[in-house]
Amino acid sequence: MTKKLWFQVGIGLLIGLLIIKYVIEIHWIFKPVVIIIKTIFIPVLISGVLFYISEPLQRWLEKKGLPRWGSISTIVLVLAGVVTGLLFIIGNPITEQVNRLVQNAPSIGDKIMDATDFVLENKDNLPPQVENFIDSVTNSIQDIVVVGSKSIVNFVSGTVSTIFTLILVPFFYIFMLKDHEKFAPNIYKVFTGERRTWVKKTLEEINEVLKNYVQGQVLVSLILATMMLIGYLIIRLDYALLLAIVSFFMNMIPFIGPWISLAPAILVAIIQDPILVVWVCVITLVAQQLESNLITPNIMGKSLDIHPLTVITVVLAAGNIGGFVAIMIGIPTYAVLKVIVKNIYEERKKIKETATKTL
């Protein structure tokens, strides 16, 4: 019985649960480790994204005969040039739109308050379900204000700490460009024989999955944000560039990201001219259809091979477990775990077939 797979898996789960239980009970021992991990997690994550974006350029430069230090210097210069160019091109429009948004904030608030007063005054003419919803929201305004104030304070303090943390990004990024080929060998060199081959193959597949996901997701988000910007400019929507930038970052989140970016666009459209809401929805719908049916299949293909229902489940579960950051890394984490489980299953299947043939 001890050789049965279900028995071994069960024992492994029990041991894992016991380890988790005792780790939780003596968590104070691991608190410094947790603090260190939290400190470097965001820089490592950003550096990893930048590395996978620039990895094709580095590979091309080194194929042309450039040494490693030369490829790194070229990439850093190109990246600095791109950032500088973007600041020259879109820096002034962004600054202008942000200043205009700040100047118009009081009038925007007045319009929102007028709309709220209108709804409250006419709530008796609305359906009972809507009236009950308005009453519940009105009764919860104080709680919403308190929670909102706490969120703003947490956001400001988190932003300050994040700025200090981001100083580490260039260091991690340069070391990834310099030593990325040494990472996998340092792991699988501790194994021997068939196990080393299996670990090497698994690490190569994990690297390929992460590379395909990051490069594909960034390119898809860039194309989608460009389409949204063009659409917003055509309908003359205010703050079009800011909304497109928000769309670019939100589109990094699978499934729910595009709909999150739709909310501020609709709010701006309502304040500017309610008829624009229809056009914003049309632009978003067209862009989403092009993205889901044409752009994503051709750029990312079936590299991850994850069912859409699984994507939705992973995103929602990650959001409940770890918030925004967990949503961002939920899909690639699932893809990595899928590669590991698949390779374990295939290895066990191969061992079983070999044993059967021997018998």
Side-chain angles (χ1 to χ4, degrees), residues 2-67:
T2 56
K3 295 183 179 180
K4 296 291 185 180
L5 177 60
W6 63 267
F7 182 82
Q8 295 175 357
V9 171
I11 293 297
L13 287 174
L14 288 175
I15 294 174
L17 290 173
L18 285 174
I19 292 173
I20 293 172
K21 175 180 180 296
Y22 289 119
V23 166
I24 292 174
E25 290 179 354
I26 57 173
H27 62 88
W28 54 271
I29 295 178
F30 302 96
K31 191 172 182 180
V33 178
V34 172
I35 293 173
I36 292 172
I37 292 174
K38 285 183 177 180
T39 303
I40 68 172
F41 177 75
I42 296 297
V44 169
L45 181 65
I46 297 173
S47 302
V49 172
L50 290 174
F51 165 72
Y52 279 119
I53 293 173
S54 55
E55 187 266 344
L57 176 59
Q58 184 182 36
R59 191 170 61 248
W60 180 80
L61 289 171
E62 293 181 358
K63 279 184 179 179
K64 296 295 182 180
L66 214 60

Side-chain angles (χ1 to χ4, degrees), residues 86 89-100 241-242 245:
L86 287 175
I89 295 172
I90 67 175
N92 288 334
I94 289 179
T95 303
E96 180 186 346
Q97 291 187 14
V98 170
N99 290 334
R100 187 149 50 94
L241 185 57
L242 283 176
I245 293 173

